């Protein structure tokens, strides 16, 4: 098996109306029992970076102000990578299973971004109590909640 086929199950909407995940009608039954989870892991396609140049870029000049001068893309959360797949943990605001909509607090995806999958966030599988990170980013927030108030613009070189 050399290639995989991935089909979008919906779209991410991130616009003046808010931030929503819209599930295609065919996949709405897969939302059953999603209510009650406070967070989900969203797997989405960096569609704006799905081109040969981005897929063949393996290193990048210093993307973060305190990082090494050159970094491999696997050490970044950059959209430029061999397979433009993104994983983001997001807070659920509201689930509407009848309409196939999940309102979320925030995601760094553009409007109409293809959605690959969602999985419920469960601390027993997704949470690491004491993760290790390099010195150059050890001052970053320790949680999603703290990240909302962190001056991220002071960290990036782009």
């Amino acid at each position: 098996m050399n290639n995989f086929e991935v089909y979008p199950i919906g779209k991410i909407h991130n616009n003046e109306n808010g931030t929503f995940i819209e599930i295609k009608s065919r996949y709405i039954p897969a939302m059953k029992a999603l209510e009650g989870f406070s967070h989900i892991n969203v797997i989405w396609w960096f569609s704006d970076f799905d081109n040969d140049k981005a897929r063949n870029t393996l290193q990048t000049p210093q993307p973060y102000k305190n990082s090494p001068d050159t970094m491999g893309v696997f050490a970044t959360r950059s959209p430029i990578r061999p397979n433009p797949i993104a994983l983001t943990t997001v807070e659920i605001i509201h689930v509407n299973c009848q309409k196939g909509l999940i309102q979320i607090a925030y995601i760094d995806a553009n409007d109409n971004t293809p959605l690959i999958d969602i999985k419920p966030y469960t601390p027993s599988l997704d949470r690491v109590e004491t993760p290790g990170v390099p010195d150059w980013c050890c001052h970053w927030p320790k949680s999603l909640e703290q990240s909302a108030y962190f001056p991220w613009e002071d960290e990036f070189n782009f």
Side-chain angles (χ1 to χ4, degrees), residues 6 12 17 21 26-28 37 53 57 60 67 78 84 97 101 105 108 120 134 141-142 155 157:
V6 176
I12 298 169
N17 297 321
I21 293 171
R26 172 181 177 198
Y27 299 107
I28 288 175
F37 287 99
K53 182 180 179 190
T57 300
T60 183
S67 69
S78 170
C97 288
L101 293 175
D108 56 342
K142 305 293 184 243
E155 298 297 315
N157 285 330

Side-chain angles (χ1 to χ4, degrees), residues 57-103:
T57 300
L58 303 181
Q59 294 185 339
T60 183
Q62 190 180 41
Y64 312 109
K65 292 195 173 154
N66 296 316
S67 69
D69 291 339
T70 301
M71 293 180 67
V73 296
F74 294 157
T76 75
R77 294 189 59 100
S78 170
I80 298 170
R81 48 200 332 106
N83 290 302
I85 297 170
L87 169 65
T88 307
T89 302
V90 299
E91 180 183 5
I92 296 173
I93 304 223
H94 180 72
V95 176
N96 184 330
C97 288
Q98 292 178 334
K99 292 185 177 180
L101 293 175
I102 305 167
Q103 183 179 10

Side-chain angles (χ1 to χ4, degrees), residues 91 105-106 141-153:
E91 180 183 5
Y106 172 79
K142 305 293 184 243
S143 70
L144 182 64
E145 292 80 7
Q146 292 173 358
S147 289
Y149 306 103
F150 187 74
W152 286 107
E153 65 278 1

Side-chain angles (χ1 to χ4, degrees), residues 3-136:
N3 293 309
F4 301 94
E5 290 187 33
V6 176
Y7 302 99
I9 62 162
K11 288 185 177 181
I12 298 169
H13 296 288
N14 200 354
N15 55 43
E16 65 278 352
N17 297 321
T19 307
F20 294 87
I21 293 171
E22 178 184 20
I23 305 294
K24 289 183 177 182
S25 59
R26 172 181 177 198
Y27 299 107
I28 288 175
M31 295 175 65
K32 186 174 178 77
L34 188 59
E35 300 93 339
F37 287 99
S38 66
H39 293 77
I40 53 176
N41 289 315
V42 180
I43 302 164
W44 50 282
W45 198 256
F46 276 122
S47 53
D48 293 344
F49 295 88
D50 191 358
N51 58 62
D52 286 339
K53 182 180 179 190
R55 283 177 171 252
N56 287 297
T57 300
L58 303 181
Q59 294 185 339
T60 183
Q62 190 180 41
Y64 312 109
K65 292 195 173 154
N66 296 316
S67 69
D69 291 339
T70 301
M71 293 180 67
V73 296
F74 294 157
T76 75
R77 294 189 59 100
S78 170
I80 298 170
R81 48 200 332 106
N83 290 302
I85 297 170
L87 169 65
T88 307
T89 302
V90 299
E91 180 183 5
I92 296 173
I93 304 223
H94 180 72
V95 176
N96 184 330
C97 288
Q98 292 178 334
K99 292 185 177 180
L101 293 175
I102 305 167
Q103 183 179 10
I104 58 176
Y106 172 79
I107 194 166
D108 56 342
N110 293 331
D111 193 34
N112 291 314
T113 294
L115 174 68
I116 297 173
D117 203 352
I118 60 172
K119 295 177 185 254
Y121 176 91
T122 55
S124 58
L125 298 173
D126 299 317
R127 183 176 176 185
V128 177
E129 292 285 337
T130 54
V133 297
D135 287 343
W136 60 264

